[in-house]
Amino acid sequence: MRVGVVTFPGTLDDRDAARAVRAGGLEAIELWHGDADLKNVDAVILPGGFSYGDYLRCGAISRFAPVMTSIIEQANKGMPLLGICNGFQVLCESHLLPGALTRNSDLHFLCKDQVISIENTNTPWTSSFSKGQEILIPLKNGEGSFQCDDATLASLEGEKRIIARYVGENPNGSRNLIAGITNTRGNVVGLMPHPEHAIDTLTGPSADGLGFFTSILNAMVK
Amino acid sequence: MAKIVVDVMLKPEILDPQGNAVASALPRLGFTFATSVRQGKRFEIEVAGEPTPAQLAEVEKAAEVLLSNPVIENYVVRVEK
């Protein structure tokens, strides 16, 4: 069971993501942005950071990296794919997920522990949770405000494709408190806060984030 | 040498916190003319000679694929003399 973790120039959460994959009981495989070879991985994580310096738009240039061509192709065939923070931005720029992440409504870079509720437990990344479960994981971003048109929002709501929402005050202006969404097939998930930073209480505010990584283990052994 | 300019703006319905921040800074400096400010991006692309229709079509394509995100932004391509 091999989970690839992609490093772009400017990625910074790849080490934590790989550590979280191992904590979840899977093998973490390093993938390099310039190499289209996915090394026979069974799933891929696009971790957080500032790929290509966030130049042009967050994720806009990463989308065209050689590794993304292979990832998009495999994701369209059903490979589980999780994008966290900058990874979520890359997924939206790649059109694997609808909408876009824009500047936080108050313009501040956020770095805080955030409660989110898990709304959809039918994806390979969220099956370890119970529906409505509230978890505490770090949120750190400058451009985390999820925006889309009304028709897209209605379909995300109607098809239960919102996988997580912020609980309490809206931290960044995201429509309908959206913290994470999935595609129509349910294999691609984008999430703005960081489960990989909350896999044990020594280094994180909780161990709640581990559920994303045990979920993918469960999805693979099924 | 000619210059092709691509202006990229957030769609009107997309919240522009940067533009709002500029709009609220203006009156603090005594500039009271603005009822609204929107901030965008401008790309200046130089080509050798007069741009051909084929080149302009390519720039349109680049603006659609890379320079803008059609989910949240509109763009305009024009040639600057």
Side-chain angles (χ1 to χ4, degrees):
Chain A
M1 305 295 166
R2 295 153 62 89
V3 179
V5 178
V6 177
T7 302
F8 296 100
T11 294
L12 58 84
D13 296 327
D14 42 349
R15 295 296 181 95
D16 272 21
R19 178 172 171 265
V21 165
R22 290 192 294 272
L26 290 157
E27 191 183 353
I29 306 294
E30 290 178 8
L31 298 178
W32 182 241
H33 69 101
D35 187 352
D37 180 9
L38 297 187
K39 301 180 183 171
N40 293 316
V41 294
D42 305 293
V44 167
I45 296 175
L46 303 178
F50 301 86
S51 58
Y52 295 91
D54 278 351
Y55 290 171
L56 189 58
R57 296 176 306 280
C58 305
I61 297 175
S62 319
R63 170 197 168 189
F64 296 103
V67 75
M68 284 308 299
T69 311
S70 312
I71 288 173
I72 291 168
E73 189 185 314
Q74 291 304 314
N76 284 328
K77 291 180 189 165
M79 179 189 72
L81 173 60
L82 172 66
I84 303 166
C85 192
N86 188 221
F88 187 6
Q89 295 163 341
V90 174
L91 293 179
C92 288
E93 283 284 344
S94 305
H95 308 303
L96 286 171
L97 292 175
L101 283 313
T102 63
R103 190 67 64 103
N104 293 346
S105 50
D106 66 0
L107 285 172
H108 294 287
F109 187 93
L110 280 173
C111 187
K112 58 184 270 205
D113 297 330
Q114 173 74 43
V115 178
I116 60 170
S117 71
I118 304 294
E119 310 264 314
N120 176 338
T121 57
N122 297 323
T123 80
W125 301 100
T126 54
S127 61
S128 291
F129 297 104
S130 52
K131 194 172 179 318
Q133 186 178 345
E134 294 192 355
I135 66 171
L136 179 70
I137 60 177
L139 176 68
K140 53 173 183 115
N141 63 74
E143 308 205 12
S145 177
F146 181 83
Q147 300 298 321
C148 62
D149 60 33
D150 291 342
T152 306
L153 190 64
S155 72
L156 286 172
E157 290 282 2
E159 295 163 20
K160 312 282 183 216
R161 286 166 54 199
I162 295 162
I163 64 119
R165 278 186 227 265
Y166 301 113
V167 174
E169 200 182 335
N170 194 331
N172 51 23
S174 290
R175 295 199 76 179
N176 291 23
L177 292 162
I178 288 174
I181 57 172
T182 186
N183 59 346
T184 42
R185 191 168 183 162
N187 62 312
V188 179
V189 166
L191 185 69
M192 195 33 69
H194 291 263
E196 80 283 14
H197 294 328
I199 60 163
D200 59 47
T201 51
L202 178 68
T203 57
S206 74
D208 294 347
L210 194 58
F212 284 87
F213 305 94
T214 55
S215 294
I216 193 64
L217 173 66
N218 293 336
M220 287 186 184
V221 296
K222 251 180 212 166
Chain B
M1 193 156 59
K3 193 186 280 176
I4 304 170
V5 174
V6 182
D7 287 313
V8 177
M9 292 298 296
L10 281 173
K11 288 180 178 174
E13 66 271 24
I14 301 289
L15 179 71
D16 177 15
Q18 293 185 101
N20 290 347
V22 173
S24 60
L26 286 171
R28 289 202 294 274
L29 300 172
F31 297 115
T32 53
F33 49 78
T35 54
S36 161
V37 177
R38 306 281 290 173
Q39 183 176 325
K41 292 191 189 95
R42 170 186 164 110
F43 299 85
E44 296 183 347
I45 301 163
E46 289 183 354
V47 295
E50 281 301 299
T52 63
Q55 271 177 334
L56 284 172
E58 286 280 279
V59 172
E60 283 274 345
K61 202 170 152 192
E64 172 86 26
V65 172
L66 179 66
L67 304 182
S68 76
N69 177 350
V71 176
I72 49 168
E73 294 168 327
N74 294 320
Y75 64 85
V76 179
V77 177
R78 62 193 160 83
V79 179
E80 198 165 84
K81 298 292 175 190

